[in-house]
Amino acid sequence: MGHGRSEPQSCRATELQGAGGRDGTGRGARGKEDGASGDGGGMSTIVDARGLACPQPVIRTRKALQAGGAVTTIVDSEISRQNVTRMAEKAGYRVLVERREDGIYLDIRQPETPGLPSGAPAAVAPAGGTLVLLVSSETMGRGDEPLGGILIRGFFHALGEVQPLPDIIIFLNSGVKLAAAGSPVLDDLRALAERGVAILSCGTCLGHFGLKEQCAVGEISNMYAIAETLLGAGKVVNL
Amino acid sequence: MAPEALAHVLRPLHDLFRADQFPALLVGLEVSDDAAVYRVSGDVAVIQTLDFFTPVVDDPYDYGAIAAANAMSDVYAMGGEVALALNICGFPPSLPAETIAEILRGGAERVLEAGGVLAGGHTVDDEEPKYGLSVMGLVHPDRILIKGGARPGDLLALTKPLGAGLIATAAKGDAADPAHLLPAVASMKRLNREAARLAQQVGVHACTDITGFALLGHGCEMAEKSGVRLRLHLDRLPFLEGAIRYADEWLFPAGTCRNAACFGSQVGFAAEISEELRQLLFTPETSGGLLVAAPPERMDRLAAAGRGAGQPFWVVGEVTAGEGIEVVRE
C-alpha cells in the first residue's frame, strides 16, 4: 500500500549537508568521467557521482578502474561512500576518504605494496617495504593488566591518525581477542581495514580461546602464511 | 519525501480517522498491513491498495506488467482476489504513443490474467515515466491473511526466488548479464495469485509480500506484529542466478543501506555469513513473492499442492519464541 511502503519510515539516510552541497533535488544526470587530472601521487580519473543514486556511483567507479590507473570518485552521500569503498576494497584497491565542502572525495588506487587484496591475505607478502605490526597480546606493555588494556585501546585509536599506516596487522596469542566480537578496539580496526590495512588473526589462537566464530574483522590466517608474511616483511613492529 | 517527514505529516490523519469511529475498516493506518481492508457485509470485505513506480526495466511491456503484478500483489498478500483496477500514469509528453501503449498493454494483460477488470485511470504529464495501478480486491472478512499471525513452531516459506530487485538495478546500470535479467523479469511479472490461492485453500497463520523492505524488513514486520522470532536458513533461501554475483560486485541500490540501517538492529547473523550476503538480504525486491507462516503439517500440504500447480513453496526457516530475525547456516 502507498504511504511509506517504498521507504522504511524510521530510518535515516545520512546525506551530506555540506555548504554549497546538494540543492535538495539532486543534480540530474551528472557523473560522467571528466577525464584525468593531476592529483597528488599521479594522474587520476575523476568520477563525479554527486547527485547519483546507488549503484550508479559504484558502476561508474568500477568502469573507470577497469580502464586502468587511479580514480577519484566524488560522492555526496554516506551510502554512496560506503558502497564505492566496499566495492573498491573488495577488488583489492586502497581507498582514502577526504571530506570537503562540496563532496566526499574517494581516492582509489592500487596499494603501493602489491599483493594485499582483502580476498587473498598473506598468501603473498613480497620483500620490499611491507610494514607489519605484530600484536601478541590483548594488552600493551607489562606490569599492570588494566593499564595495559587502556594503553592498547589508546594505541589502536592513535594508529588511525599517524603515518605511516602498517600494511598488515597480525594478531597472535591473546592478541586475537582484539579482532574478535566484543573487542574494545573493533571500530578502530574496522576503520583501518577500510583504509586498506590487511588484518590477519591466527586461527589456532582463535580456536584456543573459543573465538573462531567470533572473528569480527579481517581474515583468519594460519602459521604458514603468518611466517611467510613476517619473513617477507620490510619491517616488523612487535607490540 | 523523507521518511520521517512523511511519518510526521501522516500523524494527524490517524487522529482524524480514529479506529473506533470506523469499525468497518478492518485494516488501515493503525493496524497497518499490506493493504487496507473494509468490510461491506458479513461475508464481503474490500481490499484497497495502490502502487506505482518509475521504470525498472527498459522494455515498456515488461515495465507495465511488472508494475501491475507488483500493485496487485498487496491484494494477494491479504488473501484476496483482484476485482477492479485503474491505471495510474505519469508520462513525459515526449514519450512516443506506442511506448505508452505497450506499458498499458503490459499492465492490462496482467489484470486480465488476475481475473480482474481494468476500468480506466488517470494520466498526468511527468518528467520521468511513472506507472502503476489502483486495485480493488475482495476477500471474506474471516479469511483475511495478516502479517501478525505467525506462531512458534510454524514453518516459513517463500514463493519466489530473491534477487530480482538487485538484478534489475544492475541491468539499469548496464552492469548485468542479459541472461540473468530474463529470469528476473519473468519472476517480477509473475502474479502471486496461485500462491495466495493455495495459502487460502490450505490455511496459513501469516502472510506478507516481499517488496521494498526486502526479505529481512518484511520478515521483521511479521516477527514484530506476530510477537515471535524468525529463524532463516541462508542455505535454503532461493536466489535468482546472478544475484550473488552482483552482490559480490557490491551493486546494491541505496535502499539496501536504508533497510540495513532501519532493520539491522533486529537481525542477527551467524558469524561466517559474508557482508555481501547480509546486504543482499536487505536489498529491496520488486514484485517479490509471498512469505507465509504455517504449521509443519500444513506446510507439507502447501508444498505438495504447489508442486502440482507449478508454484514453489521453498521452506526457508521456522518461527520461534522471541523477537527479530536470526539468519543461520545449517
Side-chain angles (χ1 to χ4, degrees):
Chain A
M1 173 160 84
H3 295 308
R5 199 82 216 286
S6 57
E7 301 240 322
Q9 296 234 356
S10 60
C11 57
R12 199 177 309 121
T14 31
E15 297 287 339
L16 189 79
Q17 300 293 329
R22 294 173 60 92
D23 56 17
T25 57
R27 297 174 180 185
R30 291 185 51 172
K32 69 180 197 294
E33 287 85 329
D34 295 329
S37 75
D39 186 32
M43 300 295 271
S44 181
T45 306
I46 305 285
V47 176
D48 184 354
R50 288 174 292 188
L52 296 176
C54 276
Q56 279 301 325
V58 171
I59 291 172
R60 286 168 196 243
T61 303
R62 204 166 55 123
K63 276 188 188 145
L65 287 169
Q66 280 163 354
V71 171
T72 299
T73 298
I74 314 169
V75 297
D76 57 5
S77 82
E78 268 308 305
I79 290 178
S80 298
R81 178 193 67 75
Q82 283 173 27
N83 284 337
V84 171
T85 302
R86 295 304 294 256
M87 177 278 294
E89 286 180 351
K90 272 176 62 68
Y93 292 90
R94 169 170 302 206
V95 182
L96 293 176
V97 181
E98 189 191 340
R99 289 165 199 278
R100 297 189 199 167
E101 286 219 326
D102 61 342
I104 305 170
Y105 286 68
L106 305 172
D107 180 66
I108 304 163
R109 53 187 69 226
Q110 295 283 0
E112 279 128 46
T113 47
L116 291 172
S118 59
V124 272
T130 324
L131 174 56
V132 178
L133 176 63
L134 183 63
V135 184
S136 328
S137 165
E138 61 182 312
T139 61
M140 191 178 191
R142 291 194 190 84
D144 187 83
E145 288 280 310
L147 176 63
I150 293 169
L151 293 179
I152 201 100
R153 283 201 289 277
F155 175 79
F156 278 103
H157 197 62
L159 198 57
E161 287 161 24
V162 297
Q163 288 288 337
L165 277 183
D167 297 296
I168 309 170
I169 304 176
I170 298 175
F171 290 103
L172 281 182
N173 213 310
S174 68
V176 295
K177 293 181 184 173
L178 296 169
S183 154
V185 300
L186 220 44
D187 286 345
D188 290 318
L189 291 179
R190 286 190 173 128
L192 289 166
E194 199 162 294
R195 291 171 64 186
V197 178
I199 293 174
L200 308 179
S201 292
C202 156
T204 310
C205 313
L206 285 165
H208 177 79
F209 293 108
L211 293 172
K212 207 139 197 181
E213 308 288 301
Q214 311 293 319
C215 184
V217 61
E219 311 281 336
I220 299 177
S221 192
N222 57 55
M223 197 47 85
Y224 180 80
I226 290 173
E228 209 172 55
T229 304
L230 289 173
L231 294 173
K235 186 177 177 185
V236 177
V237 176
N238 212 324
L239 199 63
Chain B
M1 188 165 191
E4 298 92 340
L6 180 62
H8 181 74
V9 299
L10 283 179
R11 209 162 297 128
L13 304 190
H14 290 239
D15 300 332
L16 272 182
F17 301 105
R18 304 212 63 88
D20 52 357
Q21 304 283 315
F22 299 92
L25 184 67
L26 305 178
V27 179
L29 281 172
E30 300 208 5
V31 206
S32 71
D33 207 291
D34 296 306
V37 185
Y38 191 90
R39 188 183 56 231
V40 292
S41 73
D43 53 5
V44 178
V46 165
I47 302 171
Q48 191 75 50
T49 183
L50 70 91
D51 212 328
F52 60 97
F53 46 60
T54 55
V56 285
V57 292
D58 288 337
D59 183 89
Y61 179 88
D62 286 343
Y63 164 44
I66 291 167
N70 184 67
M72 291 188 286
S73 178
D74 288 329
V75 170
Y76 297 125
M78 301 305 293
E81 282 280 4
V82 171
L84 180 67
L86 302 173
N87 285 324
I88 303 169
C89 311
F91 295 129
S94 61
L95 200 65
E98 48 272 32
T99 306
I100 295 175
E102 277 298 278
I103 296 172
L104 299 183
R105 188 171 71 89
E109 290 189 1
R110 284 298 99 154
V111 175
L112 193 64
E113 188 194 325
V117 55
L118 192 103
H122 186 69
T123 308
V124 296
D125 286 349
D126 206 338
E127 281 175 26
E128 195 176 8
K130 292 180 188 67
Y131 175 68
L133 297 177
S134 164
V135 188
M136 192 266 273
L138 298 172
V139 67
H140 192 289
D142 301 333
R143 306 279 290 170
I144 300 168
L145 298 182
I146 55 166
K147 295 175 184 177
R151 298 171 208 170
D154 282 352
L155 294 180
L156 295 164
L158 266 181
T159 68
K160 281 188 188 180
L162 301 168
L166 179 63
I167 292 170
T169 323
K172 266 185 104 177
D174 288 328
D177 184 337
H180 292 153
L181 184 61
L182 279 175
V185 168
S187 177
M188 290 187 285
K189 281 160 72 173
R190 183 169 186 174
L191 297 181
N192 283 325
R193 187 185 192 195
E194 188 64 14
R197 193 185 64 78
L198 292 171
Q200 275 291 22
Q201 188 181 306
V202 174
V204 300
H205 283 160
C207 178
T208 190
D209 62 338
I210 306 299
T211 53
F213 293 170
L215 172 65
L216 293 180
H218 291 289
C220 279
E221 290 190 333
M222 182 180 280
E224 188 190 338
K225 287 181 186 290
S226 303
V228 297
R229 180 172 177 81
L230 310 188
R231 186 192 297 128
L232 299 171
H233 297 263
L234 184 71
D235 302 306
R236 295 188 208 159
L237 292 175
F239 289 105
L240 283 162
E241 199 174 330
I244 290 175
R245 183 178 122 191
Y246 304 127
D248 271 334
E249 293 173 9
W250 210 267
L251 298 181
F252 299 111
T256 301
C257 222
R258 284 197 280 268
N259 285 337
C262 196
F263 300 105
S265 63
Q266 300 167 59
V267 181
F269 292 95
E272 67 269 29
I273 296 176
S274 72
E275 194 59 33
E276 295 78 51
L277 286 172
R278 296 178 190 206
Q279 295 289 310
L280 180 53
L281 301 185
F282 280 120
T283 298
E285 296 288 341
T286 301
S287 188
L290 302 180
L291 174 67
V292 297
E297 70 280 6
R298 284 201 210 161
M299 196 59 90
D300 284 347
R301 277 195 279 147
L302 200 49
R307 273 192 293 278
Q311 170 59 61
F313 282 86
W314 286 286
V315 175
V316 297
E318 56 270 341
V319 179
T320 64
E323 55 183 28
I325 297 182
E326 60 177 321
V327 185
V328 300
R329 301 205 83 147
E330 302 301 315

